C-alpha cells in the first residue's frame, strides 16, 4: 500500500532553517509528481511546492526563494529545504501524491514546524 512518512519537523528560531523528508513506498515514485502542503491552525491546507519527474518545480509565492524542493528517486524520498523561516511558516507540513500517479490522494501523517519569534 502507499505510504508517505514525513520527518524533520521541529521548533526553530526566526530566520532559521529546517529540512523535511518524505519517504515514499507502495507506488512508482520515480514517475510521480510529488508535493508538499502545509496547514496552519484554522486555515486551509495549501500547496507549498511541487516537483515533477523532470525536476521542474513550482512554489507558492510565500516561499519562493526561501524553500527548495528536491527528490531522490533511488531513495524514493522527497525533501523540502526551508530557510529564512518566519512565524508565518508555522504549520503542519504534509507530503502528497495523487492521481494520475496513484488511484486516489495519499497524505503523510504530517510533521509539525514551529518558528518562534
Amino acid at each position: 500500500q502507499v505510504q508517505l512518512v514525513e520527518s524533520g519537523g521541529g521548533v526553530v528560531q526566526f530566520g532559521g532553517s529546517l529540512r523535511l523528508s518524505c519517504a515514499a513506498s507502495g507506488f512508482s515514485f520515480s514517475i510521480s509528481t510529488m508535493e508538499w502542503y502545509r496547514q496552519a491552525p484554522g486555515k486551509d491546507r495549501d500547496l507549498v511546492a511541487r516537483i515533477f519527474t523532470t525536476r521542474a518545480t513550482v512554489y507558492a509565492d510565500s516561499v519562493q526563494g526561501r524553500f527548495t524542493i528536491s527528490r531522490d528517486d533511488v531513495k524514493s524520498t522527497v525533501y523540502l529545504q526551508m530557510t529564512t523561516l518566519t512565524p508565518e511558516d508555522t504549520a503542519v507540513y504534509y507530503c502528497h501524491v495523487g492521481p494520475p500517479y496513484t488511484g486516489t490522494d495519499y497524505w503523510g501523517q504530517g510533521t509539525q514546524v514551529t518558528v518562534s519569534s
Side-chain angles (χ1 to χ4, degrees):
Q1 71 277 23
V2 174
Q3 285 192 317
L4 301 170
V5 180
E6 300 103 335
S7 61
V11 180
V12 63
Q13 289 189 333
F14 187 102
S17 300
L18 279 176
R19 188 196 196 203
L20 307 183
S21 300
C22 171
S25 60
F27 65 101
S28 297
F29 180 88
S30 63
I31 62 170
S32 300
T33 295
M34 297 299 298
E35 297 170 327
W36 283 98
Y37 282 74
R38 68 185 180 186
Q39 187 167 23
K43 295 189 176 181
D44 294 335
R45 190 174 295 187
D46 294 325
L47 178 69
V48 175
R50 174 181 295 135
I51 185 165
F52 299 92
T53 56
T54 59
R55 301 303 193 271
T57 55
V58 172
Y59 295 96
D61 289 344
S62 59
V63 307
Q64 181 75 47
R66 300 188 299 121
F67 290 12
T68 302
I69 188 171
S70 61
R71 63 189 297 159
D72 184 332
D73 289 347
V74 173
K75 295 181 179 180
S76 295
T77 300
V78 60
Y79 304 96
L80 187 68
Q81 178 68 49
M82 306 184 294
T83 64
T84 321
L85 286 162
T86 75
E88 287 66 39
D89 296 313
T90 294
V92 178
Y93 285 71
Y94 297 92
C95 184
H96 171 264
V97 65
Y101 313 102
T102 53
T104 187
D105 290 295
Y106 289 93
W107 301 90
Q109 82 285 0
T111 186
Q112 176 70 48
V113 172
T114 302
V115 184
S116 61
S117 57

